[in-house]
Amino acid sequence: MTTKLKINRKFVPVLTTIGVFLVLYFYGFLQYKGMRTPQAFLNLFVNNAFLLITSIGMTFVILSKGIDLSVGAMIALTSVTSAALLERTGLSPLIVIPLMLLMGTLFGATMGMIIHVFKVQPFIVTLAGMFFARGMCFFISLNAIPIRDPLYRTMALYRLQLPFFERAFISLGAVTALIVLIVGMYVAHFTRYGRSVYAVGGSEQSALLMGLPVGRIKISVYALNGFCSALAGIVFSVSLLSGHGLYATSVELDAIASVVIGGTLLTGGQGYVFGTLFGVLVTGLIQMLIQFNGELSSWWTRIAVGALTLIFIGVQSLFVSSRKRRAITKQTVKETIPIRSAEGLA
């Protein structure tokens, strides 16, 4: 007697992403000697820590059927504002960092409030937010501001040595990103708030009928994303020890691509924070492979990520169409059975 292995359809997108990552890494492992060290794998976390943090926030927004185009501008605004406060006013980083997190949270909550109260498309509101935040960067300073604060320098140079692996370490930014990942997974999948976000993204009307506070959930999701963007901005400015208005250009598109590649549906209501991790890793891995190749232009990263995003959107469309067909079929069967029963009684 043989048992047939059945995989739940909802896990197919994230399993596909994990499969793509493993295949690409195995290819790089065979082709390039430099990728056979543990540090090469850990560098994916070190180099993409800020992207992982902001992508986790973006996952919650997309799960709620929204979108946020302001995350890259918020990262740049956080870097410029924190650098200006540290270097020009002499404020302690212990005050500056909480202020930046509060700024990002309020900025996101304001956009969420406008989206919910005035019923404006998230695309329009967050596009305006992107222009506003990017403009504020150059209002504060036209040039890059170097950060000489001792605590920032200590955080930039900190390396966490991993046990059992010689010369293998991760940065403080990577540690922060992994903590955000664990918290994000717990909130999304093991709390009432996370289930409410999924419910709002699946069907806002049904969520209202269930008695969920849809408005508060939507506003809180954008506030959470603003918090993550500000935290990513702090990690970014610590790694570069400076702030500038041109930093993190197009990061919002990288974050959206990572979430989509990670298996979260753009239509909302389905996806996994864990999948976003592999979306970010795939993006970083493509960049690493191109760097090891040494002959291809860095623009091939954009081309490859764009192609992968299109493929995953196509898979998502097929997935959603299949789900709708099954729902229609079930509804038809439910309506047909009582009619046949009535005919039989007659």
Side-chain angles (χ1 to χ4, degrees):
M1 183 178 175
T2 59
T3 55
K4 192 175 179 180
L5 179 64
K6 288 187 72 176
I7 298 175
N8 194 323
R9 283 172 176 267
K10 65 181 182 180
F11 296 128
V12 171
V14 67
L15 289 175
T16 305
T17 306
I18 295 172
V20 169
F21 173 77
L22 293 176
V23 169
L24 286 176
Y25 202 91
F26 187 65
Y27 169 79
F29 186 86
L30 294 178
Q31 287 291 114
Y32 307 111
K33 189 178 177 181
M35 286 190 65
R36 296 170 194 171
T37 62
Q39 190 57 49
F41 176 74
L42 294 175
N43 282 342
L44 289 173
F45 292 89
V46 173
N47 297 333
N48 298 288
F50 75 98
L51 180 59
L52 177 57
I53 294 170
T54 198
S55 296
I56 290 167
M58 184 69 80
T59 305
F60 279 88
V61 172
I62 293 179
L63 280 174
S64 71
K65 210 175 182 176
I67 201 81
D68 191 344
L69 300 179
S70 70
V71 295
M74 177 48 63
I75 291 172
L77 180 60
T78 303
S79 74
V80 172
T81 310
S82 58
L85 289 173
L86 288 167
E87 299 301 319
R88 293 178 181 173
T89 67
L91 272 179
S92 165
L94 299 178
I95 299 174
V96 171
I97 291 173
L99 274 178
M100 294 301 98
L101 295 177
L102 180 64
M103 178 185 74
T105 306
L106 291 177
F107 188 80
T110 305
M111 289 194 300
M113 203 175 296
I114 294 171
I115 290 167
H116 174 66
V117 174
F118 298 102
K119 308 298 180 192
V120 185
Q121 287 295 321
F123 172 81
I124 301 297
V125 176
T126 57
L127 182 67
M130 180 185 75
F131 287 135
F132 177 80
R134 194 67 76 173
M136 284 301 295
C137 293
F138 294 102
F139 176 76
I140 296 169
S141 176
L142 292 175
N143 302 312
I145 305 174
I147 298 175
R148 302 180 185 85
D149 181 81
L151 181 59
Y152 263 60
R153 286 188 172 276
T154 303
M155 290 193 292
L157 296 174
Y158 178 79
R159 295 289 182 269
L160 178 64
Q161 183 70 39
L162 295 187
F164 312 115
F165 294 101
E166 190 179 356
R167 296 180 183 176
F169 64 86
I170 55 174
S171 64
L172 188 60
V175 174
T176 308
L178 290 173
I179 292 171
V180 173
L181 174 70
I182 293 167
V183 173
M185 288 169 60
Y186 176 77
V187 172
H189 307 305
F190 299 103
T191 66
R192 185 177 179 180
Y193 175 76
R195 290 191 289 273
S196 300
V197 172
Y198 276 90
V200 171
S203 171
E204 193 172 318
Q205 191 62 34
S206 299
L208 276 171
L209 293 173
M210 289 162 63
L212 294 175
V214 173
R216 269 189 290 167
I217 291 168
K218 288 173 72 175
I219 293 169
S220 66
V221 161
Y222 283 92
L224 175 65
N225 194 34
F227 175 87
C228 289
S229 302
L231 184 59
I234 292 167
V235 169
F236 195 84
S237 57
V238 166
S239 64
L240 295 182
L241 286 175
S242 64
H244 193 255
L246 289 179
Y247 284 167
T249 309
S250 302
V251 163
E252 58 277 358
L253 303 181
D254 291 333
I256 293 169
S258 298
V259 174
V260 172
I261 292 173
T264 300
L265 297 186
L266 277 172
T267 50
Q270 190 164 326
Y272 299 95
V273 176
F274 184 67
T276 299
L277 166 67
F278 279 90
V280 172
L281 290 180
V282 166
T283 306
L285 183 56
I286 291 170
Q287 195 169 4
M288 182 184 283
L289 288 172
I290 289 171
Q291 286 173 350
F292 274 110
N293 179 279
E295 294 179 359
L296 295 173
S297 166
S298 60
W299 284 107
W300 277 99
T301 305
R302 298 286 179 190
I303 295 168
V305 171
L308 266 177
T309 307
L310 280 176
I311 291 169
F312 274 85
I313 287 175
V315 171
Q316 286 186 7
S317 299
L318 291 173
F319 186 78
V320 171
S321 302
S322 171
R323 193 169 60 179
K324 283 182 178 176
R325 277 198 302 272
R326 287 201 308 275
I328 291 171
T329 305
K330 283 183 180 176
Q331 185 65 27
T332 307
V333 170
K334 282 182 181 177
E335 291 173 358
T336 306
I337 289 174
I339 293 172
R340 287 181 177 173
S341 301
E343 288 175 351
L345 288 172

